[in-house]
Structures are given as structure tokens and as C-alpha cells.
Amino acid sequence: MTPDSGSKHASAPRFPALQGASRDHLYPRFDAAQIDRMRRFGTIEHWRAGDAMFRTGQAGLGMRVLIRGQARLTRRDGLGRSRIIAELSDGQFLGEVAQLTGKPALADGLALTDVEALMIPPEQIRTMLVAEAQIGETIMRSIMLRRFGLIQDGGGPVLIGPASDMNLIALEGLLHRLSHPYSVVDPEADPEARLLLDSLDGWANEYPVVMLADGTLLRQPSPRELAARLGILLKIDTARTYDVAVVGAGPAGLAAAVYAASEGLSVIVFDGHGPGGQAGASARIENYLGFPTGVSGHELAANAFVQAVKFGAEIIMPARVRTLDCAQTPRQLVLEDGQRIAAHTVVIATGAAYRRPAIAGLDEVNGCGVHYWASSVEGRLCRGTEVVLIGGGNSAGQAAVFLASHASRVHLLIRGADLARSMSRYLIDRIASLDNVVLHAQTVVTAVTRDQWGLDSVVCETPGGEQCIETRHLFLFTGAAPNTQWLHDCSVEIDEKGFVKTGYMSGVLPETACFALQTNVPGVFAIGDTRAASAKRVAAAVGDGAAVVSEIHQFLSSSANTA
């Protein structure tokens, strides 16, 4: 079988940082003096030649610095195939991002000779990264590049099913957002995959089938079940009361986690999808400060995620918060599975989702060709086809530019006369330069049609009359609705559009109104796109995330003084 690596769906490398990375960046070598400084954070262990130091899927006990001996790193996938990643020796270390949290290893480690190694457990890795800044910088760069490389090369679970299967796409989207290596095999195009499924009694058409690296077969797993089987879900200490609980891991939530955790607060973060929010699906953000050549939303989110973990934030995903219990002090979050997590402060950072416009027939094709963001997963599905994209904001523009590199033609539909009122000039110019992007101004989609395979066409009202565009893929970037439904059972005030009121907009008492990001419920704050009157920009969301930590410190201090 020839799986299509999850990271090779795009025509360009997903992580440009890998293009300029040298082997010294990926596998740095520490000298004796540096290793001596690292010794206080770990313990010495010994391995005999031929011993398995760790295996794919086993809980990561930490990073290992080789003092003497040689070891081999090998990538293994669900089809049982393996490939040597690297052979390391004295002064080099074994480990990647998973070792920061104790999540399962994504590679096999084999002792080629007798090995003496310094084993540093996850909590001590995080302490060392802060205490030894120069060493920490080298390690952080290395573990990020190693994770990017693992994703780009595939490995890990193999998802088997038709490329258009929506359940498979959901699993693929989850692993993509969580930066977990995977690959995809389509049995309709791969005879060996078809024979494999036929050999599994009763599994022939039970798509998707997932083959894990340890040989386990899963039939039609849910995203949460797959995450649990891969060890992605961290265990939650429900007996603990956190200083800060953040709901949402978009730019605002991750910024709050980074700043709060770096300042010594205990932080737990929940997200039902993965890091990045809407911004995480942006193929390229070119107007974010400090990135003159642009940065993909996925890479920005992945970096922010690791940065939060580095400072000790616990990030639980996928995990949905069902409700906020404002009647109790400390406040309590209730998860979908019934677990309750207590926190002195709660930060609402659930962002916004694109609205579903009133289009006749949309319900009948939802999930069969209708998309609400454009990542490499959707790019692969649209390769060589005509697509329709509705929306005139920056997110729509970024999606149009990205899809143009995959689709044969992108029809960009907007209600207004032009893009100038709602889109940045650099995106307008970029779109104008693309021969395969067609702008349809003053155009409204009135209906969609379907056939036995799903979406078949989009019917539009244009200045020239009704027009029908045949397409299998419709992308909706039509305004933002706040993700605040989970707040309806608590006393947090929201406005008529569903956005959370903060500061003077909320019903706070005059003495606490100086907290511009606090809601009417003391200790509950709102930041980013979900906050009423926010700027709805990535930079503004990150600014909110930084600013809220200052208010949290003041709140915790005042609460301690009055206790």
C-alpha cells in the first residue's frame, strides 16, 4: 500500500522552517559542560546494546541525553513499516514535543551499543528550559523541528477509507489540528488496501478503519475515541483547583495560557477541536507583526501550543465544556463527560464560527461537500476541481489564495460591489493576480443542489440574472457567530448577537469595572473574538490574552486580601 502522508496534501511544505533547518538544528550536540549543567534535572540510566529504550505509543517518560553510546530513532506506521530517522551518539538527545507532557512516543528508540543516558522527566524538562535559557532555546528549536519532520514524513496511525468519506475527513482534521503524524490510504485507489479490508471479516465497508502503530485496528472510531487510543488526551486532576481555566485554544486562549503559565499561575486549557481556532486554518497570515514573509495559521498555533506547554500549562483537547457553573466559588467548568474542574478564574476564549447562511438545500448537503475552513485536508479533496467560496473578509481571501494552488478554479462570491470594504489590500492584490480565481460581485447564493454523491451545484442571483455553477465543494466564510451557547445556563451577560459583555458594557459593580475584560461575574473574563466590541483580528486576540493576565493577577490578589 502507498499511503498519502497527512502532511503531503499541500503542494508546498506545511512547515517552511524545515526548509532551512540543518542536521545540527534537528540533532544538536551538547558538550560536557552543558551536560553537567543538565545533570541536576535528571537521573542516570543504562541500556544494553539491542535494548528498546522506548517504543511508539508508549507513554513518554522524558528526554534522554546520551552521555556514552549510540542509539537509533525509527519511525513506524500502522502498516508495520519502519524507516530510520536518525542515529545519535554522545552529547545528543532523544525526544520531541511529546516528551514535554509525557504523551506517547512517536518513534522507536533502540540502543545500538551499551548506552549511558541522562533521563530528564517532563516536569524537569520544563524547569530546565526556563532555568537554562541557552540550552532551552536549543532544545525547543530541535523538538519543534523534529515534530514538524515527523508530520511531514507521515507515520503513526494509517486512516483507511475513501478520500471523500466525511468520517475519515473528521479524523484527518483532528490529527492535522493536533499536529499528530498520520497517513491516509484510499481503498478505492489502492488494491492492497482493498484486499486487506476484505480479509477482515465484516470490515469491508466499515469506513474509516484506523490501523495504529501497535497493530490495533479501530473500526469507525469517533475523533475523541481515536484521541484517547493514541494517548493524546491528558488525564485531568479533578481534585485540583487551578488559578486559571481557559476555554478555547485559539490565539487569544493560547496567549492567555502562555502569559499566565510563564508568570507562575496554574493553568488548564480546554478546546473541542485543536489549537488555533479559525486562525489555525489560515493557509498564510501575512500581516501579523514580526512575520514579514507570512506564517501559516497551523504553524503559528503549533508554536503557541508548545510555548504554553513549555511553561507548564495543561492543554486538554479535544474536550468540550458543556457549561460554566457560576453559582460556585471557585467557579466550575462541567465537561461533556460530566467531569467538573474548579478554577479561581475562568477565561472565555471560545472565539466565533462562520454562520450558516439561509440557502435552500444546504441542510441536505451539509457534510457532503460543504466546508467551513480551508486546510491542507480540504486542499487535497479539491485538487483539480472547481470550487465555490462565499465571503469577502480576510479569512475568505486567505482561503481563496490557498485553494487556488489546488483547485482548477475558485469562484469567489461576495454580496458587495468589490472587496475593498472588507479585505486587506495585500489580499485583494494577490487575488487579482491569480488567473484561476474568479470574483463574482453582487452575487447571492439562493440554493444548492445535490446528486447521489453529495453537492452538485450552486445556484446564484447575479446582476445578470440566475447563474448555476457546478461544483463538489462549497466553502462558507460568511460572517462570524460567537461560540457562546455553552454559557446560556449561567449568569454571564451576552449581547443581542451572542457576544460576551465585558467591562463597562457588563453589569459589573463600579469598583470592579476597571477590569476591562471581566464579565459581570467576578473572576470570569472574556477575550478575543467572543468578546463584544473586540477587533476580530489575530493580533488583537493575542493582545487580549496578554492583557487579561494582568487583570487576573489583580483579581487573585484582591480576593486573597479579602479572604
Side-chain angles (χ1 to χ4, degrees):
M1 281 178 277
T2 55
D4 181 13
S5 166
S7 57
K8 293 180 180 176
H9 295 163
S11 57
R14 179 182 297 172
F15 298 106
L18 281 173
Q19 291 179 291
S22 67
R23 181 177 173 80
D24 288 342
H25 288 137
L26 275 163
Y27 306 107
R29 191 180 303 275
F30 298 107
D31 60 31
Q34 290 173 313
I35 293 176
D36 283 342
R37 285 157 55 191
M38 300 165 73
R39 285 179 184 271
R40 63 190 174 101
F41 300 101
T43 57
I44 297 297
E45 60 182 19
H46 295 87
W47 302 88
R48 300 294 298 273
D51 285 348
M53 301 174 69
F54 52 86
R55 293 183 63 80
T56 302
Q58 293 179 345
L61 300 178
M63 63 176 279
R64 292 174 168 89
V65 183
L66 298 176
I67 297 174
R68 278 187 294 273
Q70 292 181 305
R72 173 183 293 160
L73 291 172
T74 305
R75 186 202 72 185
R76 181 159 46 93
D77 69 12
L79 296 175
R81 299 171 305 181
S82 63
R83 184 175 69 81
I84 295 174
I85 300 173
E87 292 185 354
L88 307 179
S89 58
D90 300 6
Q92 296 178 298
F93 76 92
L94 287 73
E96 51 89 40
V97 171
Q99 276 59 64
L100 287 177
T101 58
K103 290 182 180 179
L106 298 180
D108 297 336
L110 176 71
L112 295 177
T113 65
D114 290 350
V115 167
E116 179 183 352
L118 177 66
M119 216 286 275
I120 307 176
E123 62 275 10
Q124 289 297 98
I125 297 174
R126 296 193 293 269
T127 301
M128 181 179 66
L129 293 176
V130 175
E132 296 287 348
Q134 185 178 15
I135 292 174
E137 180 183 349
T138 300
I139 291 173
M140 285 299 295
R141 182 193 301 117
S142 174
I143 64 175
M144 287 295 294
L145 290 173
R146 292 182 190 189
R147 173 57 70 99
F148 294 164
L150 285 168
I151 298 169
Q152 195 140 290
D153 291 342
V158 177
L159 314 182
I160 303 177
S164 59
D165 183 90
M166 296 310 299
N167 291 325
L168 182 142
I169 292 171
L171 298 180
E172 192 177 354
L174 170 75
L175 296 176
H176 170 76
R177 291 189 297 272
L178 296 181
S179 296
H180 195 288
Y182 70 94
S183 55
V184 177
V185 173
D186 187 345
E188 295 180 357
D190 192 318
E192 290 184 45
R194 184 74 238 176
L195 287 173
L196 172 64
L197 293 182
D198 289 342
S199 70
L200 301 173
D201 186 31
W203 290 46
N205 295 302
E206 298 289 342
Y207 302 126
V209 171
V210 179
M211 303 180 70
L212 304 184
D214 64 1
T216 301
L217 292 174
L218 304 177
R219 176 167 53 186
Q220 296 182 322
S222 67
R224 184 172 177 81
E225 179 186 355
L226 178 60
R229 294 299 294 267
L230 291 173
I232 293 173
L233 287 174
L234 292 177
K235 292 184 179 179
I236 306 172
D237 183 1
T238 55
R240 182 180 184 183
T241 299
Y242 292 85
D243 293 321
V244 187
V246 182
V247 187
L254 288 174
V258 167
Y259 281 96
S262 68
E263 294 177 16
L265 299 176
S266 58
V267 180
I268 189 167
V269 182
F270 298 95
D271 195 285
H273 297 284
Q278 282 188 12
S282 296
R284 183 147 299 274
I285 303 170
E286 296 191 53
N287 60 350
Y288 188 66
L289 186 67
F291 293 89
T293 60
V295 60
S296 76
H298 183 65
E299 188 169 357
L300 184 66
N303 288 338
F305 170 85
V306 175
Q307 193 173 14
V309 170
K310 166 188 172 181
F311 290 117
E314 298 177 29
I315 303 182
I316 314 297
M317 58 182 76
R320 294 183 183 276
V321 175
R322 187 172 67 201
T323 188
L324 170 62
D325 186 346
C326 294
Q328 302 218 32
T329 305
R331 308 303 178 195
Q332 294 200 355
L333 296 172
V334 183
L335 305 187
E336 277 191 334
D337 61 7
Q339 293 188 89
R340 300 178 75 92
I341 290 83
H344 295 297
T345 61
V346 173
V347 177
I348 301 167
T350 42
Y354 294 110
R355 292 190 181 94
R356 293 183 60 193
I359 297 174
L362 186 61
D363 288 341
E364 297 177 20
V365 296
N366 201 43
C368 299
V370 179
H371 312 279
Y372 293 88
W373 61 13
S375 70
S376 61
V377 176
E378 288 74 27
R380 173 178 57 85
L381 292 173
C382 298
R383 191 174 294 155
T385 68
E386 292 201 22
V387 305
V388 173
L389 191 156
I390 306 176
N394 275 2
S395 294
Q398 290 161 354
V401 171
F402 169 71
L403 291 171
S405 65
H406 296 272
S408 61
R409 181 172 297 174
V410 178
H411 296 274
L412 180 58
L413 279 52
I414 61 172
R415 288 176 175 268
D418 55 48
L419 294 168
R421 292 183 59 185
S422 56
M423 189 178 293
S424 296
R425 171 51 58 182
Y426 81 92
L427 280 171
I428 296 174
D429 293 342
R430 183 73 51 79
I431 288 170
S433 71
L434 296 171
D435 293 336
N436 63 336
V437 177
V438 181
L439 178 64
H440 301 258
Q442 297 177 310
T443 299
V444 178
V445 175
T446 57
V448 295
T449 65
R450 68 164 298 160
D451 58 17
Q452 59 181 317
W453 294 286
L455 177 68
D456 179 56
S457 69
V458 172
V459 181
C460 315
E461 285 293 339
T462 75
E466 186 174 274
Q467 180 181 0
C468 183
I469 304 173
E470 293 185 0
T471 183
R472 292 291 182 189
H473 300 283
L474 171 63
F475 290 82
L476 300 177
F477 289 79
T478 50
N483 289 318
T484 54
Q485 301 87 342
W486 61 285
L487 294 172
H488 289 171
D489 292 333
C490 72
S491 52
V492 171
E493 289 186 3
I494 59 176
D495 66 15
E496 67 281 358
K497 295 181 179 179
F499 293 93
V500 180
K501 295 181 179 181
T502 60
Y504 287 110
M505 295 179 64
S506 66
V508 296
L509 298 174
E511 60 267 25
T512 59
C514 58
F515 292 160
L517 301 174
Q518 184 175 238
T519 69
N520 61 300
V521 178
V524 178
F525 302 82
I527 59 176
D529 287 4
T530 199
R531 180 173 66 86
S534 63
K536 308 298 186 286
R537 294 279 188 171
V538 174
V542 172
D544 274 5
V548 77
V549 176
S550 176
E551 296 189 11
I552 287 171
H553 277 300
Q554 295 179 60
F555 175 84
L556 293 175
S557 177
S558 62
S559 297
N561 291 334
T562 58

